[in-house]
Amino acid sequence: MKGMNNKKVIAIVCGGDSSEHDVSLRSADGIYSFIDKDRFEPFIVELTGLTWEAHLPNGTRAKVSREDFSFKMGRRTVHPDFAYITIHGTPGENGILQGYFDLIRMPYSTSGVLVEAMTFNKFTLNQYLKGFGVSVSESLVVRKGNEDLITDDEILQHIGLPCFVKPNAGGSSFGVTKVKTLDQLRPAIALAMRESDEVMVEAFMPGTELTCGCYKTAAGAHVFPVTEVVTHNEFFDYDAKYNGSVDEITPARISEDLRDRVQALTSAIYDILDCSGIIRIDYIVTKVKGDDGKERDRINMLEINTTPGMTSTSFIPQQVRAAELDIKDVLTEIIEDKL
């Protein structure tokens, strides 16, 4: 049974099994508030392990069938027409949920299985995009059970200090440490292992942190204004991201040339990967000397977020407002592009 008054039913899929479960719920609330209720009938669907539940308007919850993603609301069986995935981390940001929706033939908001799996694995993504000339930091991977295969000396030689130690597969800032001394290295790796079986050790790059969102549909391409991220913490960690210990300046205080280059690179990466829906790419801009001795800006990609935060204060809604677009219209365009 379709939505009321023949409205398309949109399942806003949130939760998941990572440390950002509750953050995902906040993004779902944001999307629910933004979505055009005159056009769509949205329901928040929360996934926690094998517990899948739809949040009903009367405050109760209904079990969601894993066979076709339907659920009961009174005498009505609700069959969603579209899944708007806003899970940060597994299973919504690594291709697992996308594969499920492909199997049951339900359109969804994000990129497909391959893109999601690759962007979720930071090291794999970096190595892939390096082949297209994208600048990334030097890094290596330490795997659970094989921690001793890479010695501290090898890390010092190839990566140096300070460095970042972070979960290789993950959509959050949990488990990330800025390591300044050798004795901090192994505890940092152990901390990151709590979030992921693979840990990436990444060279520190001093510079200006920027982030830029983008989405493309049959109706057109939109690359949003660039945001400058100025954290009051050691780096842009969980506290900075969600507890306000950061200044987020949109549009960024950068030259028009650098802005244009960041936006062009964001658009190019979107096309290289054949992304879908809204993505956000994080960068660090460093200074390098050319052959003529003059300093130039080098744009280094940090990571790609394929299910970026969607609360009213998140980067994407900020950038949408700065672009003088309506977030309601943006969501409508993304949903209707797939229906």
Side-chain angles (χ1 to χ4, degrees), residues 6-41:
N6 291 318
K7 294 177 186 177
K8 295 290 188 181
V9 177
I10 310 301
I12 303 170
V13 188
C14 61
D17 304 323
S18 80
S19 299
E20 283 199 291
H21 179 102
D22 291 349
V23 175
S24 169
L25 300 188
R26 280 149 54 185
S27 284
D29 287 339
I31 292 168
Y32 188 91
S33 71
F34 300 144
I35 207 163
D36 188 345
K37 314 294 192 306
D38 293 330
R39 195 181 300 248
F40 306 113
E41 185 183 9

Side-chain angles (χ1 to χ4, degrees), residues 294-314:
K294 292 183 179 178
E295 276 196 337
R296 290 180 172 82
D297 290 319
R298 174 183 286 167
I299 305 167
N300 308 278
M301 189 206 71
L302 291 178
E303 64 177 282
I304 299 178
N305 299 274
T306 58
T307 61
M310 291 292 284
T311 68
S312 59
T313 58
S314 296

Side-chain angles (χ1 to χ4, degrees), residues 223-257:
V223 183
F224 298 138
V226 180
T227 299
E228 180 181 352
V229 183
V230 183
T231 179
H232 305 305
N233 296 5
E234 187 72 44
F235 61 96
F236 189 48
D237 59 4
Y238 182 86
D239 182 57
K241 186 181 287 188
Y242 298 116
N243 296 328
S245 305
V246 66
D247 295 322
E248 300 167 2
I249 303 160
T250 310
R253 303 168 298 181
I254 55 178
S255 68
E256 289 185 11
D257 174 67

Side-chain angles (χ1 to χ4, degrees), residues 168-206:
N168 186 40
S172 76
S173 301
F174 284 100
V176 181
T177 306
K178 184 178 180 182
V179 172
K180 298 178 181 178
T181 60
L182 194 57
D183 62 325
Q184 296 174 332
L185 184 59
R186 293 296 161 173
I189 290 172
L191 178 67
M193 285 283 182
R194 296 180 193 172
E195 298 290 326
S196 169
D197 287 345
E198 291 185 346
V199 170
M200 185 164 75
V201 183
E202 185 177 53
F204 169 69
M205 293 182 292

Side-chain angles (χ1 to χ4, degrees), residues 316-327:
I316 291 298
Q318 283 182 51
Q319 293 177 4
V320 169
R321 288 192 295 271
E324 298 183 344
L325 297 171
D326 189 327
I327 188 72

